[in-house]
Amino acid sequence: VNGAADILIVDDDREVSAVLAEVLGAAGYCVRVAHDGDAGFRMLGERKLPDAMIVDVEMPQLTGPEMVYQMIIADAGKEHIPIILVSAIVGLAEVAKNVGTPYFLGKPFDIDTLLALLDVVLKKS
Amino acid sequence: MRTSAGNRLSIRALSVASVITFAALVAFLIAVISTTAIRASHARLALEENTIASDVTVGLDRTLREYDRVANLWLISEDPDAQSTRAALESDARAQLITLQNYVGEPVEGQTLASLSSNVESYFQARRIAEAAAMTLEQKLRMLRPAFERTLESSERLRATNRADRLRSERALEAALSVQTRATLVCTGLLFVGLFAIVLGAREWVQRPILELQGAIRRFANGDKMARAKGGRLVETKELAARFNELTETIAQNRRDQLAYLAAVAHDLRGPLTAAKMLAQLIERAEAARTPASFRRLDQQHDRLTRMIEDLLDAARIEAGELELRLVPFDAREPVRNIAELYAQTTATHELSVEVPNEPVVVLGDVLRFEQVLSNLLMNAIKYSPGGGRVGVTLQPRAGEAELAVSDHGIGIAAEELPRLFQPFRRLARAKDAIPGAGLGLSSVRRIVDAHHGRIAVESAQNVGTTVRVIFPLAEGARPSPPAKKPDAPRAEPR
């Protein structure tokens, strides 16, 4: 049903992002991967905007929250992309609140939980 | 915690001031008591002399009257006994006059005594003239009467002078005693007031702050981490409280650092954990994922976790001071090249340049620890230059030592962060929210370098870059090592 949904993963842990891309690819999503906030933000301009983003918090260059602020400043639709914050940091809920997204998932997480959450996010938008 | 120059009230100053005040009071009291005592004793002496003088004067009066009676008796009876008694009385009177000379005080008294003496002498003279004269007894007696009256009169005058003198002496004694009593009372009162003030001051300014500090220490020991002491008003108690507050602040800061460090460690451990969990779930549900390659990737994540935990335990051991070195002479160029190559593969944005001399640099040290030091420095250089750029590694012998330098063009370190750079569990304030990783690195590096009797120095400018220099000792026998071949490039010459 959501086969065409385009997901952008931004995570500096290469292994985590690779497995995540595989998992989402197996679930039928179209997936792109960036390894830091700066690359992720640049990737937004390359093609049509993704339907949702899975974003880590602590990353070099631009952190997850910093990237989200850039997106809000840039607007042109970028500010409307739903974001799932994914991190192992303490106080993730607080960070998500500051960033302005209701979706967040603490590492490590279940694939089922992530897929269910992604489903909800895509249906809403 | 410096107190302002206007408020340097210290226990030392107060005790010196009170000792001086008390000494002055006691000295004043002693002076007053001794001077009044001297005056009183003078007055007492004068009183005594007066008493003797008036006794002698009364005696003289009696002697003169007796002499007059005996002399008159002799005129009548011509009794030889009376004559000898009269001579004795005459010399008695003279002796008493001489005695009185000793007690003359005032000039008036002297004049009175002189006129008494001359009156007495002229009476004796008159006696002798009258006795030799051819007159009737009655004529003789009448002739003698006026001289005797005059003598008695002047004796009476002397007694009056003596009485006045005595009165004066009594008054002087009384006055001296009353001054002494009053001065003693006032000084004793002042001493007591001073003592009372000292006791009150000690309670308020010394005892109370100390009890407060004691209470703060007890509260802190019982778990109130916010317990702080107030210093009171004196320099010493302020200092005590400030030291205690600094100490509790340091302890609190250490706790916060350790908690933050634990959180960072947990964060880092969850990376491979997440990858492993997802891989396992993927293998479980996707037929296509059940390949040997997937299982190998799963295994790699476990290796990554194991390595991280080993590093963590190693760092903890180093921090605890349990660092055992296997010192062997080795050519440091080899590990430098190897480690740099290893790290060059981990980054695409950085350009790693390695400079080593052509002849061996033989260091006496633990190869593994040496590699750890370089790894830490390279990791930091890459981590803290997120924009990429050149990362330089140079190794060169320098004045009998080996200098290993790692430089980057990264975010740099603020001057206020530099002193705390080597504290355990600390990460740079700016790096905290931007760059993942534990902060044990530099602290461990320093401990390893210290254990080698080496040195470490950091130069850094914010947004320009950082250079860390580590000095290791060269192996003794290998220092004058004959160069295997001539260096073909002008670099790394020891000077």
Side-chain angles (χ1 to χ4, degrees), chain B residues 302-323:
Chain B
H302 288 135
D303 287 347
R304 209 173 132 202
L305 263 179
T306 309
R307 227 172 19 248
M308 286 170 80
I309 289 167
E310 270 167 10
D311 284 354
L312 185 66
L313 285 177
D314 192 35
R317 265 197 298 273
I318 292 173
E319 284 310 315
E322 293 169 18
L323 179 61

Side-chain angles (χ1 to χ4, degrees), chain A residues 12-20 22-24 26 56-61 63 66 86-90 106-112 114-115, chain B residues 263 266-268 270-275 277-279 281-282 285-286 289 294 297 300-301 304 346 349 386-388 427 432-437:
Chain A
D12 64 324
D13 190 320
R14 278 150 208 275
E15 196 57 37
V16 169
S17 50
V19 183
L20 201 52
E22 270 176 61
V23 168
L24 294 184
D56 190 13
V57 174
E58 293 197 337
M59 288 183 292
Q61 316 284 51
T63 67
E66 280 169 353
V86 169
S87 171
I89 59 159
V90 182
K107 283 183 191 172
F109 48 79
D110 270 322
I111 290 179
D112 291 336
L114 176 70
L115 291 176
Chain B
H267 172 273
D268 292 355
R270 279 180 181 142
L273 212 53
T274 307
K277 190 177 171 69
M278 278 196 298
L279 268 168
Q281 289 180 349
L282 190 68
R285 66 191 61 196
S294 295
R297 281 169 72 192
Q300 277 168 0
Q301 293 311 304
R304 209 173 132 202
T346 66
T349 45
R427 298 169 64 201
K432 214 171 228 166
D433 46 2
I435 293 154

Side-chain angles (χ1 to χ4, degrees), chain B residues 155-427:
Chain B
S155 157
E156 181 54 40
R157 260 207 313 284
L158 185 63
R159 277 168 66 191
T161 316
N162 272 340
R163 265 200 302 279
D165 246 22
R166 193 188 158 93
L167 214 59
R168 218 176 22 253
S169 295
E170 271 172 1
R171 282 213 195 95
L173 179 62
E174 236 168 66
L177 286 178
S178 109
V179 165
Q180 186 175 353
T181 312
R182 261 178 291 168
T184 309
L185 276 177
V186 167
C187 285
T188 318
L190 282 177
L191 280 177
F192 272 107
V193 168
L195 267 179
F196 195 59
I198 282 178
V199 169
L200 277 187
R203 271 180 70 90
E204 177 66 23
W205 289 353
V206 180
Q207 187 192 12
R208 216 173 59 164
I210 284 176
L211 287 181
E212 267 178 18
L213 178 62
Q214 202 180 25
I217 290 173
R218 199 175 295 131
R219 284 202 307 282
F220 188 77
N222 288 340
D224 176 8
K225 297 305 170 211
M226 295 310 290
R228 297 289 183 271
K230 288 190 292 253
R233 305 187 53 174
L234 300 180
V235 170
E236 286 89 346
T237 52
K238 268 186 201 158
E239 178 90 6
L240 267 181
R243 288 278 162 276
F244 171 73
N245 292 343
E246 269 171 34
L247 195 67
T248 54
E249 194 44 59
T250 309
I251 290 171
Q253 183 61 48
N254 286 348
R255 280 169 58 87
R256 285 195 291 273
D257 285 350
Q258 284 180 16
L259 284 176
Y261 175 70
L262 267 181
V265 166
H267 172 273
D268 292 355
L269 289 176
R270 279 180 181 142
L273 212 53
T274 307
K277 190 177 171 69
M278 278 196 298
L279 268 168
Q281 289 180 349
L282 190 68
I283 289 165
E284 184 200 343
R285 66 191 61 196
E287 193 78 44
R290 274 172 222 153
T291 60
S294 295
F295 285 105
R296 206 158 43 243
R297 281 169 72 192
L298 189 57
D299 196 37
Q300 277 168 0
Q301 293 311 304
H302 288 135
D303 287 347
R304 209 173 132 202
L305 263 179
T306 309
R307 227 172 19 248
M308 286 170 80
I309 289 167
E310 270 167 10
D311 284 354
L312 185 66
L313 285 177
D314 192 35
R317 265 197 298 273
I318 292 173
E319 284 310 315
E322 293 169 18
L323 179 61
E324 277 177 25
L325 297 180
R326 270 189 300 270
L327 295 179
V328 284
F330 65 92
D331 183 359
R333 294 180 303 169
E334 209 171 312
V336 167
R337 285 199 199 100
N338 293 343
I339 300 292
E341 199 177 319
L342 203 68
Y343 274 87
Q345 290 164 9
T346 66
T347 172
T349 45
H350 297 85
E351 181 210 328
L352 251 75
S353 77
V354 181
E355 260 184 58
V356 292
N358 287 332
E359 65 273 23
V361 180
V362 182
V363 167
L364 184 66
D366 188 316
V367 188
L368 270 176
R369 297 301 183 188
F370 181 85
E371 287 177 351
Q372 268 182 328
V373 167
L374 182 56
S375 291
N376 263 311
L377 298 183
L378 273 174
M379 204 157 63
N380 281 335
I382 291 169
K383 211 155 69 166
Y384 294 113
S385 56
R390 209 182 72 97
V391 172
V393 182
T394 54
L395 174 73
Q396 53 184 332
R398 194 183 273 275
E401 292 169 320
E403 186 194 86
L404 176 68
V406 176
S407 57
D408 65 58
H409 298 89
I411 59 175
I413 303 158
E416 65 266 23
E417 291 266 12
L418 274 176
R420 301 193 300 191
L421 205 58
F422 295 104
Q423 282 178 14
F425 313 120
R426 178 162 291 281
R427 298 169 64 201

Side-chain angles (χ1 to χ4, degrees), chain B residues 45-54 56-57 60 95-117 154 157-159 161-162 165-166 168-169:
Chain B
L45 201 67
L47 195 63
E48 247 167 60
E49 286 180 354
N50 260 310
T51 312
I52 295 167
S54 58
V56 174
T57 316
L60 177 65
Q96 279 163 330
L97 279 170
I98 288 164
T99 308
L100 280 176
Q101 285 292 337
N102 293 332
Y103 295 105
V104 169
E106 310 274 311
V108 188
E109 219 181 317
Q111 285 163 19
T112 314
L113 184 60
S115 81
L116 173 61
S117 294
S154 57
R157 260 207 313 284
L158 185 63
R159 277 168 66 191
T161 316
N162 272 340
D165 246 22
R166 193 188 158 93
R168 218 176 22 253
S169 295

